C-alpha cells in the first residue's frame, strides 16, 4: 500500500513559497543572489529541519535535506527554488516541495530506507545576473569548476563567488561530486508547455532534455546625429539588428520540426531618441533534442550574421555563453516512473523536455529521471498554473517511486 502524503501540508508549503519574492509588477522575482532567494532557501532549510531531516550545504550552495538510510549512498529528488523575473509559482518550487513531501511522508510512515534519501535543491537554475544558468548542478557535476567562475561578476561588479559565499556555499571542491555518494536523481517538474493539457493526461516521464546553445552577439555601429547624418552614410546598429533578427526567423521557419529559438535579451546603446544607435547587444538561443541540428543551425546563423554585418559596415562579435548537449534520461529510471504512473491507472506518457533542467547535468553523472506534472501551458510568466489534483497525484507517484527505487537500485547492485 502506498504511504499517504499530506495534501494539506504540501499545498500550504507551495502557498508559503509563492509569498516569497512577489513582484509588484506581477509574478515572482526570485533570482539567484537576491534577498528573496536567500529568504526561500532559509525557509526551505527550516521546513526540512522541522520535518526531521538533516540539512547541509555543498560546495556550490546546493541544499541537501537527508533522511538517513542503512547506508550513506544517496538517492535524491528535487529541483530549484530560484525563478526568472516575474515568473510563476511552480517552475522549480513544485519539484522541490513535492520531493520534500515525498521524503517526509516515507519517514513519517516508518519506512526504513536502504539508501539515504535526500531532497536536493540546486542553486541558481535560471539564467541570472551572472549569466550562469544551472549553476549549482553544473558545479556539483564538474561541468563548471569553482575556478571557472572565480572572476565572473554581474554588471555592478558583484562576484558570483561572493554571492555563493553569502548563500552558504562552502566553495570547496571536496563538497562536490565525486566526493558525495550520489547514486541517482529524479526531478519532478511542472511541464511548462501545453502537451499534457492537450492530451488530457496529468503526468509524463521525460525521455530526454533539449540541448541549448546561447550566443551573446554585439553589433557595433556608430553613434551620430539622428537628423543630420545622411541615410546612406549611417552605421546604424538597430537597422542591422532588424535584418539579423529577420534572418533568424527565416532560419527557424526552415527547421520548425527540429528546433526552436528565441532572441529574448536585447540592449541598445546609447538608447536615445535622437541618436543613431551605436551598439546592439543581444542573446540568441536555439533549442533542439538533436545535437547535429543545433550545431549546424547555430553555425549557419553565425555565418549569416557576419555577412550581414560586412554588408552594412557593422562590427560583429560573439561569445558562446552556453553549449549544452541534449541529455537522455536513464532508461531504467524512466521505466520505473512509468510503472508507478501506470499503477495509478494512468497512461504512461513519454515526452521530450524543451525546457532546460538541472537533471540534464546530473544525468551525465548518475542515473537520472524526470517526472512532468501537467501545467496550463504557461511558464516563465505570472500566469503559470498547475492543478492541485495533479500535484497530489504526481506526489503520490513520486513517493511510491522513491520507495521502489530505493529497493530496486539495491537489488541491481552486485553482492560482495
Ligand atoms: O530556460 C529553461 O528552459 C529553464 O526553465 N530554466
Ligand atoms: Mn525555468
Ligand atoms: Mn525549472
Amino acid at each position: 500500500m502506498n504511504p499517504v502524503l499530506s495534501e494539506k501540508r504540501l499545498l500550504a508549503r507551495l502557498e508559503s513559497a509563492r509569498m516569497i519574492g512577489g513582484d509588484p509588477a506581477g509574478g515572482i522575482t526570485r533570482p539567484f543572489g537576491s534577498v528573496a532567494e536567500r529568504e526561500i532557501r532559509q525557509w526551505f532549510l527550516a521546513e526540512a529541519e522541522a520535518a526531521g531531516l538533516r540539512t547541509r550545504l555543498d560546495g556550490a550552495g546546493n541544499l541537501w535535506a537527508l533522511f538517513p538510510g542503512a547506508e550513506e549512498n544517496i538517492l535524491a529528488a528535487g529541483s530549484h527554488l530560484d525563478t526568472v523575473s516575474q515568473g510563476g509559482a511552480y517552475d522549480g518550487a513544485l519539484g522541490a516541495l513535492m520531493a520534500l513531501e515525498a521524503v517526509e511522508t516515507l519517514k513519517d510512515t516508518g519506512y526504513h530506507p536502504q539508501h539515504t534519501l535526500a531532497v536536493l535543491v540546486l542553486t541558481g537554475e535560471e539564467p541570472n545576473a551572472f549569466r550562469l544558468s544551472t549553476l549549482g548542478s553544473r558545479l556539483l557535476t564538474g561541468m563548471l569548476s569553482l575556478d571557472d567562475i572565480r572572476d565572473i561578476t554581474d554588471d555592478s561588479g558583484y562576484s558570483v563567488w561572493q554571492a555563493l559565499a553569502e548563500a552558504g556555499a562552502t566553495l570547496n571542491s571536496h563538497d562536490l561530486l565525486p566526493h558525495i555518494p550520489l547514486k541517482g536523481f529524479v526531478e519532478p517538474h511542472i511541464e511548462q508547455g501545453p502537451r499534457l493539457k492537450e492530451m488530457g493526461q496529468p503526468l509524463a516521464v521525460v525521455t530526454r532534455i533539449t540541448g541549448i546553445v546561447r550566443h551573446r552577439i554585439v553589433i557595433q555601429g556608430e553613434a551620430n546625429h539622428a537628423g543630420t547624418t545622411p541615410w546612406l552614410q549611417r552605421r546604424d546598429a538597430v537597422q542591422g539588428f532588424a535584418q539579423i533578427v529577420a534572418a533568424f526567423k527565416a532560419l527557424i521557419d526552415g527547421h520548425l520540426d527540429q528546433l526552436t529559438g528565441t532572441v529574448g535579451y536585447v540592449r541598445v546603446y546609447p538608447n536615445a531618441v535622437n541618436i543613431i544607435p551605436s551598439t546592439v547587444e543581444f542573446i540568441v538561443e536555439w533549442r533542439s533534442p538533436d545535437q547535429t541540428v543545433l550545431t549546424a543551425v547555430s553555425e549557419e546563423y553565425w555565418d549569416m550574421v557576419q555577412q550581414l554585418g560586412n554588408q552594412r559596415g557593422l562590427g560583429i562579435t560573439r561569445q558562446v555563453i552556453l553549449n549544452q548537449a541534449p541529455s537522455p534520461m536513464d532508461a531504467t529510471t524512466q521505466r520505473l516512473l512509468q510503472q508507478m504512473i501506470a499503477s495509478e491507472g494512468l497512461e504512461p506518457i513519454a515526452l521530450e523536455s524543451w525546457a532546460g533542467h538541472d537533471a540534464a547535468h546530473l544525468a551525465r553523472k548518475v542515473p537520472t529521471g524526470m517526472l512532468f506534472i501537467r501545467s496550463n501551458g504557461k511558464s516563465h510568466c505570472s500566469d503559470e498554473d498547475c492543478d492541485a489534483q495533479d500535484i497530489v497525484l504526481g506526489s503520490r507517484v513520486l513517493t511510491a517511486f522513491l520507495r521502489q527505487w530505493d529497493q530496486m537500485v539495491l537489488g541491481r547492485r552486485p553482492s560482495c
Side-chain angles (χ1 to χ4, degrees):
M1 201 189 79
N2 282 345
V4 179
L5 56 86
S6 166
E7 175 177 343
K8 197 169 150 208
R9 179 171 62 193
L10 173 57
L11 298 179
R13 281 194 183 129
L14 277 163
E15 204 43 43
S16 300
R18 178 200 293 279
M19 296 300 144
I20 303 175
D23 191 317
I28 298 167
T29 299
R30 213 164 53 209
F32 166 61
S34 65
V35 171
E37 194 246 2
R38 280 207 284 273
E39 184 183 337
I40 200 164
R41 288 165 62 87
Q42 290 310 319
W43 171 81
F44 173 84
L45 289 172
E47 288 290 311
E49 277 160 23
L53 305 181
R54 293 189 196 159
T55 61
R56 53 163 296 214
L57 277 74
D58 65 23
N62 299 309
L63 311 179
W64 298 77
L66 304 169
F67 171 25
E71 54 179 271
E72 284 187 357
N73 287 329
I74 297 171
L75 292 176
S79 190
H80 60 99
L81 290 172
D82 62 315
T83 71
V84 295
S85 269
Q86 295 180 249
Y90 299 97
D91 177 1
L94 176 63
L97 298 178
M98 280 174 60
L100 177 57
E101 183 55 44
V103 172
E104 187 173 2
T105 299
L106 287 172
K107 188 180 90 35
D108 288 352
T109 48
Y111 180 64
H112 293 288
Q114 180 66 24
H115 299 82
T116 292
L117 299 182
V119 185
L120 174 57
V121 173
L122 293 142
T123 305
E125 192 272 348
E126 300 288 3
N128 49 49
F130 306 100
R131 299 193 179 91
L132 289 165
S133 52
T134 54
L135 175 60
S137 55
R138 283 198 284 161
L139 288 172
L140 179 65
T141 55
M143 306 291 156
L144 267 181
S145 75
L146 288 165
D147 280 340
D148 287 338
I149 60 160
R150 194 179 286 274
D151 299 326
I152 295 179
T153 66
D154 68 9
D155 287 345
S156 73
Y158 178 52
S159 95
V160 70
W161 261 64
Q162 182 67 26
L164 282 167
E166 282 171 21
T170 62
L171 294 168
N172 179 338
S173 57
H174 285 282
D175 293 327
L176 300 170
L177 296 181
H179 303 280
I180 298 172
L182 183 66
K183 299 299 170 203
F185 178 65
V186 65
E187 183 167 0
H189 205 283
I190 187 168
E191 189 224 330
Q192 302 182 275
R195 290 171 298 175
L196 284 176
K197 188 174 116 180
E198 287 167 5
M199 285 185 236
Q201 296 289 339
L203 302 174
V205 177
V206 174
T207 54
R208 73 169 49 217
I209 299 173
T210 184
I212 310 179
V213 170
R214 291 192 183 125
H215 294 175
R216 174 178 171 268
I217 299 179
V218 177
I219 304 172
Q220 192 60 55
E222 187 179 37
N224 210 333
H225 195 285
T228 59
T229 315
W231 182 252
L232 295 179
Q233 290 176 23
R234 296 174 180 221
R235 291 173 59 226
D236 182 330
V238 162
Q239 293 300 321
F241 177 64
Q243 209 177 348
I244 282 167
V245 170
F248 177 78
K249 181 186 180 306
L251 200 51
I252 301 280
D253 282 344
H255 295 81
L256 269 187
D257 52 338
Q258 294 166 303
L259 93 164
T260 192
T262 305
V263 178
Y265 174 97
V266 182
R267 281 188 177 179
V268 176
Y269 303 90
N271 209 15
V273 72
N274 61 350
I275 307 175
I276 295 167
S278 63
T279 313
V280 174
E281 172 198 356
F282 66 103
I283 297 176
V284 58
E285 68 152 51
W286 296 267
R287 297 184 184 219
S288 174
D290 184 331
Q291 178 70 57
T292 315
V293 172
L294 207 50
T295 306
V297 170
S298 56
E299 287 310 310
E300 185 180 342
Y301 183 65
W302 175 233
D303 288 345
M304 277 167 50
V305 169
Q306 286 175 293
Q307 275 173 29
L308 290 171
N310 283 341
Q311 283 162 16
R312 288 181 164 268
L314 297 165
I316 308 279
T317 53
R318 86 163 164 179
Q319 185 190 0
V320 177
I321 57 175
L322 188 70
N323 188 359
Q324 186 174 310
S327 184
M329 297 291 97
D330 175 61
T332 311
T333 311
Q334 283 185 56
R335 266 197 303 279
L336 186 59
L337 281 166
Q338 280 172 342
Q339 280 168 22
M340 295 299 109
I341 291 177
S343 69
E344 288 283 346
L346 296 165
E347 201 180 322
I349 306 289
L351 291 179
E352 284 174 336
S353 173
W354 285 81
H357 299 286
D358 291 309
H361 302 298
L362 270 304
R364 301 184 214 284
K365 295 290 172 184
V366 295
T368 293
M370 281 197 78
L371 175 66
F372 267 171
I373 295 87
R374 168 169 54 192
S375 79
N376 65 343
K378 310 248 166 134
S379 195
H380 286 186
C381 61
S382 60
D383 288 338
E384 180 184 75
D385 204 5
C386 191
D387 200 274
Q389 264 185 327
D390 293 350
I391 293 173
V392 172
L393 195 54
S395 303
R396 237 176 21 229
V397 164
L398 179 68
T399 310
F401 167 82
L402 285 180
R403 198 168 59 165
Q404 287 297 113
W405 200 32
D406 179 43
Q407 290 159 20
M408 184 190 80
V409 175
L410 176 71
R412 274 210 315 240
R413 203 171 302 152
S415 53
C416 52

